[in-house]
DNA sequence: TTGAAAGCGGTACCAG
DNA sequence: CTGGTACCGCTTTCAA
């Protein structure tokens, strides 16, 4: 900028005015400056600018794994909201490690990002002190965190599972098993608890048959086989997420068990499997959008108390929830 | 930092030394400084630091759509390489628009990112001037660009298609159709050309039956039905990408056509469809990793001529490539 | 309408 | 081992 100023025989301040389209520059002066800018290929150094202004026009997203379709859809939505507002997005993976997450967040705070959206690795709020001291706004997604109340965007796990159970019951199922993921995950526990509660609420027979992961096709079969034989054999299965749905589908195929199924999380090509898989759909794009919007509201000065938003799920009925007898007719 | 210096009765330079673990500070002085840092909750402002140092320790990834599984896997790989090297990653979507891509790249250059990986929207190299003037290293991915030679990471489209044709021929197919995506895409044209070349190279009968998109299940059926009836009916189909594979699968199901299939791009649950889908797998994670590695090599001063790397594809044989007669036995 | 000087928060360089 | 000072590239403030 100094170069441009010298070349155009004006002060840096005038160049600055031209670059930022500030008023109060004579048109011919402005034109002369622009010509020099063009000739020298000058580009404003946004780092310096933003440092002076105290904001970075950057937000960050911290997730477990960017390659996971759930997170990548969240990422796309957050990036879109950021772009609309002239902000840039830094994305970082914590790989499910709380310590790495903490390190990542500290690095982001050191960079003075304006705000952070994070899918927390655990509930420990290990970055609370840093965030508090730096006044960096944060929005948690998908899972809540202990400690200081913060804006949090969750999925309606309970409602989703309930709709799955009710759907199966409406189609005549009474004996339904639930396969969930590792109970270390908050969402896995939520969905399990929702299943048990709904099971009892509807007065289904016996005690709820629940198997928590981590699961593979093999580990699923260990309970799937006895449960579908013995007395009161199960006729349907509900799964706690994408990964478990896959394991159960493989297990059903391997054992040639004609059980009905409702999965949590929609997945690509669920409609092409035979029979097409009925799922509880959560909307990662909507969640990401909501999280980003909430973050920007804070950046714009919203000082209202932290709020938790529960995003609705939607049952996508295909065919796997019907009774197999009905399907074959 | 000035506050810390004042409080600890040392100069800012000494604080700087402590913060950066530079040698030449007496242990007790360092300890005193650290105590003040802790008490005041001081955190180094990386923006200021990086501005002085002239590097930002930031690289960027520009793609069409972060939610697309191909790009999100690339993104995860690039982020990982960046993180290993203490860099952060800015991700941006250009939504397939060359003008938006140009704007995004200019913004990134203004931020002085150290380098950029981009999946270009078209071949026009519209950002060439900016990149040239700013000396920002760039690596192109998946598609080449005209103009100044640049580092480029491509997938072996030709080899992939050839392996698909050869696989089908080995299983007795002679009449094979190709469904590709919109020929506006460089990769779509590459794969089409590879099909035609292989078709001729192997001396398959008649002229190659090719239908380019954009395709839906409906548009596929328009040619699929006549081609599988008339004289020399096709017995197999090759698809040019993920999206087309889906359209063809739906079309085959709708028309109850028992054709064999090899798809380009692997996809989630391809193994669970009946019959399991044989695919040409390209490795987005490996491509992203390679691109990032190439970029960092440039950042470390590699001045060798720009190179184009073609990453191998791999045929994942499941069952859909067999003749249906064989399958039913 | 224009410019000089201070300062954002650090680091580089050199002196003590 | 420690400190002073210039300076990175821009914006802010105030004066001309």
């Amino acid at each position: 900028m100094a170069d441009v100023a010298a070349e155009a025989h004006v002060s840096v301040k005038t160049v600055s005015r031209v670059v930022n389209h500030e008023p109060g520059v004579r048109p011919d002066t402005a034109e002369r400056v622009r010509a020099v800018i063009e000739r020298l290929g000058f580009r404003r150094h946004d780092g310096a600018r933003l440092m002076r202004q105290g904001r970075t026009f950057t937000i960050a997203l911290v997730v477990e794994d960017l390659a996971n379709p759930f997170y990548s859809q969240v990422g796309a939505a957050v990036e879109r909201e950021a772009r609309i507002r002239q902000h840039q997005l830094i994305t970082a993976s914590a790989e499910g490690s709380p310590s790495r997450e903490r390190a990542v967040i500290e690095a982001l705070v050191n960079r003075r990002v304006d705000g952070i959206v994070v899918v927390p690795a655990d509930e420990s709020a290990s970055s609370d002190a840093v965030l508090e001291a730096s006044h960096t706004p944060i929005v948690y997604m998908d899972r809540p965190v202990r400690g200081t109340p913060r804006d949090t965007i969750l999925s309606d796990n309970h409602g989703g599972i309930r709709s799955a159970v009710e759907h199966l019951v409406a189609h005549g199922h009474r004996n339904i098993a639930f396969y969930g993921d590792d109970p270390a995950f908050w969402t896995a526990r939520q969905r399990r608890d929702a299943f048990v509660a709904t099971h009892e609420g509807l007065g289904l027979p016996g005690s709820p048959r629940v198997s928590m992961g981590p699961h593979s096709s093999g580990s699923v079969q260990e309970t799937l086989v006895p449960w579908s034989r013995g007395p009161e054999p199960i006729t349907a299965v509900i799964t706690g997420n994408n990964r478990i749905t896959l394991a159960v589908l493989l297990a059903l195929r391997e054992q040639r068990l004609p059980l009905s199924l409702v999965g949590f999380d929609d997945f690509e090509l669920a409609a092409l499997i035979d029979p097409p898989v009925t799922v509880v759909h959560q909307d990662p794009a909507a969640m990401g959008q909501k999280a980003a919007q909430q973050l920007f509201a804070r950046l714009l000065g919203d000082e209202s108390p932290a709020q938790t938003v529960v995003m609705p799920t939607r049952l996508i009925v295909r065919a796997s929830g019907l009774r197999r007898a009905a399907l074959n007719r």
Side-chain angles (χ1 to χ4, degrees), chain A:
Chain A
M1 191 171 261
D3 295 351
V4 174
E7 196 79 6
H9 305 293
V10 294
S11 72
V12 284
K13 178 62 226 185
T14 297
V15 177
S16 172
R17 286 195 179 95
V18 173
V19 168
N20 298 303
H21 307 103
E22 280 172 33
V25 179
R26 240 179 27 220
D28 58 328
T29 311
E31 193 41 59
R32 185 157 37 100
V33 171
R34 266 192 293 271
V36 175
I37 286 176
E38 180 68 25
R39 182 152 56 79
L40 266 50
F42 166 82
R43 335 211 93 240
R44 181 179 63 196
H45 188 311
D46 279 343
R49 158 173 233 240
L50 299 174
M51 168 167 153
R52 188 68 243 245
Q53 297 187 151
R55 311 231 332 270
T56 56
F57 279 81
T58 305
I59 64 170
L61 173 67
V62 181
V63 298
E64 189 179 321
D65 171 21
L66 279 169
N68 180 314
F70 184 86
Y71 300 128
S72 68
Q73 287 181 67
V74 169
V78 172
E79 195 270 343
R80 160 167 257 281
E81 292 299 310
R83 181 152 35 81
I84 289 172
R85 296 173 178 78
Q86 323 283 350
H87 284 239
Q88 295 196 319
L89 175 69
I90 293 180
T91 47
S93 294
E95 296 183 347
S97 149
S99 67
R100 202 187 294 266
E101 174 182 301
R102 198 193 141 99
V104 163
I105 289 178
E106 290 197 2
L108 293 167
V109 168
N110 284 352
R111 290 232 176 170
R112 303 296 193 268
V113 295
D114 294 336
I116 308 179
V117 174
V118 43
V119 179
D122 65 4
E123 295 165 61
S124 68
S126 56
S127 307
D128 230 21
V130 176
L131 296 166
E132 202 62 62
S134 63
H135 304 288
T136 308
I138 192 164
V139 175
Y140 288 113
M141 263 204 50
D142 196 43
R143 309 159 191 171
V145 145
R146 288 194 223 98
T148 322
R150 306 275 189 192
D151 292 321
T152 305
I153 314 294
L154 302 176
S155 202
D156 183 10
N157 296 300
H158 194 94
I161 289 293
R162 193 179 52 230
S163 69
V165 178
E166 287 173 350
H167 173 74
L168 288 171
V169 168
H171 286 284
H173 293 280
R174 303 282 293 168
N175 292 284
I176 305 168
F178 177 83
Y179 286 87
D181 206 336
D182 190 333
F185 294 114
W186 182 84
T187 46
R189 296 198 301 279
Q190 284 283 304
R191 292 168 196 170
R192 175 198 60 196
D193 295 349
F195 174 75
V196 172
T198 309
H199 190 280
E200 286 167 1
L202 294 176
L204 297 180
S207 61
R209 277 166 279 194
V210 168
S211 171
M212 300 299 281
H215 270 310
S216 64
S217 158
S219 70
V220 166
Q221 292 178 47
E222 286 172 24
T223 48
L224 197 59
V225 173
W227 282 349
S228 60
R229 299 255 164 83
E232 295 280 339
I234 58 172
T235 58
V237 171
I238 292 174
T239 55
N241 69 26
N242 228 314
R243 206 161 31 220
I244 309 291
T245 306
L246 173 61
V248 166
L249 280 169
L250 285 169
L252 290 174
R253 163 164 305 189
E254 211 155 309
Q255 296 290 336
R256 298 174 188 278
L257 284 171
L259 299 181
S260 295
L261 169 69
V262 176
F264 208 98
D265 286 347
D266 197 6
F267 54 92
E268 235 191 342
L269 305 201
L272 280 175
I273 291 178
D274 187 35
V277 182
T278 293
V279 297
V280 176
H281 173 67
Q282 28 177 8
D283 194 339
M287 293 176 74
Q289 180 179 38
K290 188 78 188 172
Q293 287 171 346
Q294 182 64 30
L295 186 63
F296 279 110
R298 296 300 180 188
L299 293 183
L300 263 54
D302 179 352
E303 301 269 354
S304 62
Q307 61 171 307
T308 295
V309 177
V310 177
M311 304 289 286
T313 60
R314 187 162 50 87
L315 188 75
I316 300 182
V317 177
R318 297 201 174 100
S320 68
L322 306 179
R323 293 212 59 148
R324 284 310 176 93
L327 258 183
N328 295 339
R329 245 177 284 147

